[in-house]
Amino acid sequence: MLAMNITKMRNAYGPNLFQFVPTTFILPKEKVGICILISSSASEQEQFVRFVAAAGTHSLWICKPSASARGKGIFVFDDLKSFWSEAVTPCVVQSYIPRPMMVAGYKFDLRLYCLLTSVWPLKCYLHTKGTFMQTVD
């Protein structure tokens, strides 16, 4: 859902405001869009690989299943061709961030909760409690 909303905002306000978001594909929904953007003479797999190459070459990709939580089903891969040839269930595929921000050498996750009561003028209330989760060996 977040990836879909960021894509909408990027289309509405331009890509410059969203450079912090890695290259993202929502599959299988964007599979059709990718095929429309590129000539229909090539196979779907070749079209996807060409589209990704045009978007930026990345050596690692991360696949996050849509109907999952707490990191279940997430995997990292480096071969788009083999990924594309497998059955694609609904998921989000993103370029893997090569040098993520870390705390004491471990990746982390911050979850902050806010209530947005108005967009114009912008009014947002940040809850005093949030969570900090850190990976372990």
Side-chain angles (χ1 to χ4, degrees):
M1 185 67 94
L2 177 62
M4 189 170 55
N5 287 326
I6 288 175
T7 300
K8 286 180 186 177
M9 295 296 286
R10 182 181 282 158
N11 292 337
Y13 298 105
N16 293 338
L17 295 175
F18 299 92
Q19 292 177 350
F20 64 94
V21 180
T23 304
T24 304
F25 301 102
I26 303 165
L27 298 178
K29 179 184 173 188
E30 289 188 341
K31 181 178 179 181
V32 174
I34 291 167
C35 293
I36 291 170
L37 288 173
I38 302 169
S39 72
S40 59
S41 61
S43 71
E44 286 184 349
Q45 177 181 337
E46 290 169 347
Q47 291 173 10
F48 179 72
V49 171
R50 266 195 258 147
F51 183 78
V52 170
T57 305
H58 304 285
S59 58
L60 290 177
W61 296 84
I62 186 166
C63 179
K64 305 171 188 178
S66 297
S68 187
R70 298 171 48 189
K72 292 182 181 173
I74 293 176
F75 63 94
V76 177
F77 62 96
D78 62 355
D79 186 6
L80 285 170
K81 288 183 181 181
S82 64
F83 173 76
W84 191 252
S85 64
E86 295 173 11
V88 178
T89 58
C91 63
V92 173
V93 175
Q94 292 181 310
S95 60
Y96 191 80
I97 299 171
R99 291 179 308 282
M101 198 178 288
M102 295 192 184
V103 172
Y106 294 98
K107 289 172 65 175
F108 66 94
D109 179 2
L110 278 177
R111 295 192 186 188
L112 304 173
Y113 304 96
C114 67
L115 172 66
L116 182 67
T117 59
S118 174
V119 177
W120 194 261
L122 182 61
K123 229 182 226 185
C124 181
Y125 297 93
L126 184 63
H127 195 282
T128 56
K129 294 184 180 178
T131 59
F132 173 85
M133 293 179 276
Q134 195 170 14
T135 60
V136 295
D137 289 333

